[in-house]
Amino acid sequence: MTTKGFAASHAKDAKFERGLRSFYEYRDLGIKQATEGRVDAHVIRAAVGKEFSSQAHIHRTTFQLVYILKGWIEFEHEGEGVVRLEAGSCVHQPPEIRHRELGHSEDIEMLEVVLPAGFATEEVESVQP
């Protein structure tokens, strides 16, 4: 029997830190370490007092899922247009789809699951409708 790869994360122990976007805080759920970098999962929430800004970009992923836990967020996705996600909404963003955030509620909180854990993000010119 082995416990290698086991991870448990509890709300009472939650630590949010700055990450990819300065206007968000990220809570690592321990999945990256448990899967040796194959998968990453974290909860993202708005950082209090930080001004929102967004540039069109892509993520070099093989899988990306975002599930909204609280609040709302709007994205513009290439070929899909504007998509508003609210608590209970889920989106799969295909690898390298051009997108940008248009805005979010002050109480936005979302779960993101991404493969691989060490993916790159690159800014692009624009999002084509």
Side-chain angles (χ1 to χ4, degrees), residues 9-110:
S9 179
H10 305 283
K12 66 182 174 114
D13 302 323
K15 292 181 193 169
F16 283 84
E17 299 176 352
R18 296 286 194 248
L20 178 62
R21 305 273 180 234
S22 64
F23 46 89
Y24 283 131
E25 297 175 328
Y26 299 77
R27 175 184 164 203
D28 179 15
L29 298 177
I31 306 304
K32 180 178 179 178
Q33 183 177 353
T35 63
E36 298 176 338
R38 291 185 303 276
V39 180
D40 198 0
H42 42 267
V43 175
I44 305 169
R45 70 180 182 192
V48 176
K50 293 292 183 178
E51 188 174 327
F52 160 78
S53 67
S54 184
Q55 170 68 32
H57 60 279
I58 63 169
H59 300 296
R60 301 260 183 221
T61 62
T62 56
F63 177 83
Q64 183 179 18
L65 176 138
V66 177
Y67 181 85
I68 308 306
L69 300 166
K70 193 166 145 184
W72 61 266
I73 188 168
E74 282 188 350
F75 290 102
E76 180 180 24
H77 288 89
E78 184 171 40
E80 299 296 327
V82 175
V83 177
R84 182 182 176 99
L85 303 169
E86 299 175 349
S89 297
C90 182
V91 65
H92 167 255
Q93 294 185 160
E96 300 181 27
I97 187 172
R98 291 174 183 243
H99 64 286
R100 68 184 180 108
E101 183 185 332
L102 301 175
H104 61 263
S105 63
E106 290 181 8
D107 66 342
I108 184 67
E109 199 166 289
M110 53 196 150

